[in-house]
Amino acid sequence: MDCLFCKIVKGDIPANVLFEDDDVIAFEDIMPKAPTHFLVIPKRHISTLNDLTDEDAPVVGKLQTTAAKIAKQKGISDAGYRVVMNCNEMGGQTVYHIHMHVLGGRAMTWPPG
Ligand code: AMP
Ligand code: ZN
């Protein structure tokens, strides 16, 4: 399968990895939209949020707990940060392997664009 993030999981494409275990990997976004911008993804390929099943609930929960741990390590927890998951075209998804964006280091606006 020609999936960019699966290639990062396999180590075929380099990434600035922040955390990795059997289930998830976190790495810096290559085109950061904030002073802090990293992604947390499941190692197992899941194309979109629409493809999630109840069996995926633990790994999706782990995306969030991993995001929170890294945010704390990066020192953005207390000031605050934003977590975003884009789904399909109207949601702004460009890489079809689900990923949690974590953005911080500046004030976010609402509603998002
Ligand atoms: P989305 O538009 O929600 O699908 O987000 C995809 C994200 O992946 C974007 O923020 C891109 O900047 C980021 N991205 C694309 N290629 C890479 C890469 N090789 N390494 C790290 N992040 C990437
Ligand atoms: Zn993939």
Side-chain angles (χ1 to χ4, degrees):
M1 194 192 316
D2 196 29
C3 171
L4 177 67
F5 286 176
C6 281
K7 288 177 184 163
I8 287 178
V9 169
K10 281 189 258 169
D12 293 346
I13 287 179
N16 190 347
V17 174
L18 302 167
F19 175 83
E20 179 172 12
D21 68 10
D22 288 345
D23 306 312
V24 303
I25 184 168
F27 51 91
E28 301 282 2
D29 195 291
I30 204 166
M31 288 180 62
K33 308 298 188 297
T36 297
H37 185 181
F38 62 90
L39 305 174
V40 192
I41 73 170
K43 284 194 165 176
R44 190 168 68 77
H45 181 86
I46 303 169
S47 297
T48 79
L49 292 176
N50 293 334
D51 301 304
L52 290 173
T53 66
D54 287 343
E55 285 71 48
D56 298 316
V59 78
V60 174
K62 200 161 179 182
L63 297 181
Q64 182 62 84
T65 53
T66 302
K69 281 180 203 164
I70 297 171
K72 192 165 190 180
Q73 283 164 12
K74 284 183 168 282
I76 60 170
S77 298
D78 289 344
Y81 58 93
R82 180 165 294 170
V83 169
V84 176
M85 294 183 83
N86 297 326
C87 181
N88 273 344
E89 196 177 345
M90 293 275 273
Q93 186 173 6
T94 59
V95 177
Y96 281 78
H97 178 135
I98 63 165
H99 47 281
M100 182 173 280
H101 293 262
V102 183
L103 301 122
R106 66 170 169 84
M108 300 294 151
T109 58
W110 194 263

